[in-house]
């Protein structure tokens, strides 16, 4: 786990728990005592947390932005780990936007892989982690969505990817659903360049129709979801021919 992502996770945990012991930080981030102490000291020096005896506590002030809590974070980490393990050296991958993609980016960072994205937080995370091969798809930056958007599809750069990883708001035997039409439009263009389409979705979103149908069921190659998923829904999806990995 690179330092930038580790610090983000630590601050998110503090926003939720208010105070953490060094032992808690070591266990939750799977880091050594020395790394935990170094992170606490650095973030304390930056004014992002308060160092206390044997741990750290959150700082709240009008100028301090509380990190956004990630829903089902532990399940999403497992999903990202499984997805990362499927990627082979030398491959080119498309990663879309969202917290699960950031977690996957952390798993892949430093490996000999090309990562293509239009999601600026992910791109910055990879660059800060010294990942060698990052391709940022161009266009106009949308501040609210934190993505690069281009409507000029006729003059797109030609690129190809082994796999596209994406997420969504729901998945049924009809396919993958998304709610944000702006992002969905951009991702539709990206999907045309990938040989394989893999959906990373936490188990709470299975069986739900939310928003627009983004990807037809028969065009999804693999679903990676949490082991908490409803067995009935999993069986229904498998019966329709979808390959599924439970993380």
């Amino acid at each position: 786990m690179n330092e930038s992502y580790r610090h983000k996770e630590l601050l998110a945990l503090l926003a939720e728990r208010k105070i953490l012991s060094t032992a808690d930080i070591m266990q939750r981030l799977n880091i050594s005592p020395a790394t935990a102490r170094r992170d606490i000291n650095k973030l304390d020096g930056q004014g992002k947390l308060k160092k206390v005896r044997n741990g750290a506590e959150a700082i709240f002030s009008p100028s301090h932005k509380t990190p956004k809590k990630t829903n089902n974070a532990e399940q999403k980490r497992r999903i990202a780990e499984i997805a990362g393990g499927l990627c082979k050296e030398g491959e080119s991958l498309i990663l879309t936007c969202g917290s699960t993609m950031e977690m996957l980016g952390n798993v892949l960072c430093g490996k000999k892989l090309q990562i293509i994205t239009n999601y600026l937080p992910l791109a910055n995370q990879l660059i800060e982690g010294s990942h060698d091969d990052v391709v940022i798809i161009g266009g106009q930056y949308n501040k609210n969505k934190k993505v690069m958007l281009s409507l000029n599809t006729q003059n797109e750069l030609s690129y190809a990817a082994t796999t596209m990883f994406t997420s969504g708001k729901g998945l049924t035997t009809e396919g993958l659903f998304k709610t944000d039409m702006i992002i969905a439009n951009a991702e539709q263009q990206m999907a045309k360049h990938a040989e394989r389409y893999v959906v990373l979705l936490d188990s709470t979103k299975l069986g739900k129709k939310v928003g627009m149908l983004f990807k037809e069921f028969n065009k999804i190659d693999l679903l990676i979801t949490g082991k908490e998923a409803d067995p009935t829904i999993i069986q229904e999806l498998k019966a329709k021919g979808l390959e599924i990995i439970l993380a």
Side-chain angles (χ1 to χ4, degrees):
M1 186 182 294
N2 66 63
E3 183 181 89
S4 175
Y5 186 81
R6 203 169 59 238
H7 287 180
K8 181 179 177 180
E9 289 290 288
L10 174 52
L11 292 173
L13 286 169
L14 277 174
E16 181 181 350
R17 297 281 297 277
K18 315 306 179 192
I19 188 166
L20 290 167
S21 68
T22 303
D24 285 336
I25 295 169
M26 290 165 52
Q27 180 181 11
R28 287 176 174 269
L29 299 183
N30 193 26
I31 57 177
S32 67
T35 300
R37 288 192 293 269
R38 186 167 61 248
D39 287 348
I40 291 170
N41 288 333
K42 189 166 185 176
L43 290 170
D44 177 71
Q46 294 173 353
K48 294 180 179 179
L49 57 72
K50 181 180 178 182
K51 179 181 176 181
V52 296
R53 185 173 181 179
N54 295 323
E57 67 179 22
I59 292 176
F60 296 97
S61 68
S63 61
H64 180 74
K65 290 185 178 180
T66 302
K68 184 179 178 181
K69 181 182 176 181
T70 301
N71 294 327
N72 303 305
E74 181 54 39
Q75 185 180 154
K76 290 179 178 179
R77 287 191 190 95
R78 299 197 311 265
I79 291 169
E81 288 286 347
I82 294 291
L86 300 177
C87 302
K88 299 177 182 178
E89 185 175 306
E91 289 185 333
S92 181
L93 311 169
I94 297 173
L95 273 63
T96 59
C97 63
S99 57
T100 307
M101 296 303 127
E102 290 186 64
M103 293 178 186
L104 177 55
N106 179 62
V107 173
L108 299 175
C109 189
K111 296 184 179 181
K112 293 181 179 180
L113 296 159
Q114 181 179 75
I115 298 177
I116 303 167
T117 189
N118 67 341
Y119 187 45
L120 267 293
L122 172 60
N124 290 333
Q125 173 186 315
L126 292 166
I127 292 167
E128 290 172 8
S130 300
H131 190 76
D132 285 338
D133 198 346
V134 182
V135 177
I136 303 173
I137 297 176
Q140 181 175 344
Y141 178 62
N142 185 302
K143 183 179 179 181
N144 293 329
K145 310 297 181 184
K146 300 180 182 178
V147 297
M148 302 294 290
L149 298 172
S150 175
L151 298 178
N152 188 9
T153 57
Q154 291 182 342
N155 295 319
E156 281 185 333
L157 289 175
S158 179
Y159 59 90
T162 311
T163 304
M164 177 169 172
F165 291 100
T166 193
S167 190
K169 295 298 183 181
L171 188 141
T172 69
T173 52
E174 291 182 37
L176 177 66
F177 290 81
K178 292 178 181 278
T179 55
D180 194 310
M181 293 184 69
I182 294 175
I183 290 178
N185 180 69
E187 292 181 4
Q188 288 281 19
Q189 301 304 319
M190 295 163 66
K192 296 175 183 178
H193 299 272
E195 297 175 10
R196 192 175 187 221
Y197 197 85
V198 178
V199 174
L200 310 182
L201 208 63
D202 74 73
S203 60
T204 63
K205 297 172 183 174
L206 299 183
K208 293 182 179 179
K209 294 182 183 181
V210 185
M212 61 178 287
L213 179 62
F214 174 77
K215 198 74 170 179
E216 294 86 351
F217 187 81
N218 61 2
K219 294 182 180 178
I220 300 172
D221 296 295
L222 174 66
L223 167 67
I224 305 177
T225 188
K227 59 187 177 183
E228 298 88 347
D230 184 333
T232 303
I233 295 176
I234 293 297
Q235 187 57 41
E236 182 182 7
L237 296 172
K238 284 185 175 181
K240 291 285 187 178
L242 181 60
E243 182 182 354
I244 300 174
I245 297 177
L246 298 179

